[in-house]
């Protein structure tokens, strides 16, 4: 099986990719995985340490072809609170659970998860 020889950061490579691979956030954090692009290209990602792939990165295969990484669309929830104190408390609980959280100034953003959404509501958060 052909292997990934190099990971090229988004914006550092040119040309058209030979294939694309669409991955959600969890699937973009890998050390080793057999992947198949949307066009059928099967390849092996095998890194010494786990890497976080970003939307637009290029996976350069041993033969020079480039597979473009596409971030999958994911359902998100925006969290608001009555005041910054409550928002910080909610952020602490999310961080304590090691949940990826986007800090947006007066709001927080997380991936949809009904269990966490229920926790946030019980902590006084408002969901959108």
């Amino acid at each position: 099986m052909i292997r990934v020889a190099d990971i090229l950061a988004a914006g550092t490579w040119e040309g058209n990719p030979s294939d694309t691979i669409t991955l959600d956030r969890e699937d973009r954090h890998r050390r080793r995985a057999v992947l198949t692009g949307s066009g059928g290209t099967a390849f092996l990602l095998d890194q010494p340490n786990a890497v976080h792939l970003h939307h637009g990165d290029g996976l350069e295969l041993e033969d020079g072809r480039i597979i473009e990484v596409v971030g999958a669309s994911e359902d998100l929830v925006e969290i608001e609170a009555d005041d910054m104190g409550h928002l910080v408390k909610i952020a602490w609980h999310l961080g304590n659970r090691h949940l990826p959280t986007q800090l947006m100034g007066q709001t927080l953003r997380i991936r949809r998860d009904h269990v966490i959404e229920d926790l946030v509501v019980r902590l006084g958060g408002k969901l959108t």
Side-chain angles (χ1 to χ4, degrees):
M1 174 167 288
I2 194 158
R3 300 165 82 91
V4 173
D6 198 9
I7 299 172
L8 309 172
T12 65
W13 58 278
E14 295 180 359
N16 293 323
S18 65
D19 205 341
T20 60
I21 183 84
T22 302
L23 303 168
D24 68 15
R25 184 195 178 281
E26 296 301 314
D27 287 336
R28 283 182 286 145
H29 187 247
R30 293 278 179 235
R31 185 192 78 74
R32 182 177 168 88
V34 174
L35 302 167
T36 303
S38 60
T41 306
F43 57 95
L44 175 65
L45 174 71
D46 186 15
Q47 299 294 302
N49 297 304
V51 294
H52 186 79
L53 303 171
H54 297 88
H55 178 82
D57 284 354
L59 304 176
E60 185 176 12
L61 303 182
E62 293 169 314
D63 64 4
R65 289 180 292 165
I66 295 179
I67 310 297
E68 182 178 13
V69 175
V70 176
S73 295
E74 300 182 60
D75 291 333
L76 303 177
V77 176
E78 196 159 283
I79 301 166
E80 297 179 67
D82 289 334
D83 55 50
M84 191 54 73
H86 281 99
L87 193 64
V88 168
K89 180 178 179 180
I90 293 168
W92 183 89
H93 280 278
L94 297 174
N96 192 46
R97 287 161 179 78
H98 303 279
L99 291 175
T101 304
Q102 185 176 12
L103 308 175
M104 308 281 297
Q106 301 296 313
T107 61
L108 306 171
R109 196 176 282 165
I110 61 171
R111 285 179 22 171
R112 296 278 334 242
D113 179 320
H114 71 279
V115 172
I116 300 301
E117 290 173 41
D118 182 58
L119 169 71
V120 168
V121 169
R122 285 187 284 122
L123 290 170
K126 298 174 191 80
L127 307 174
T128 304

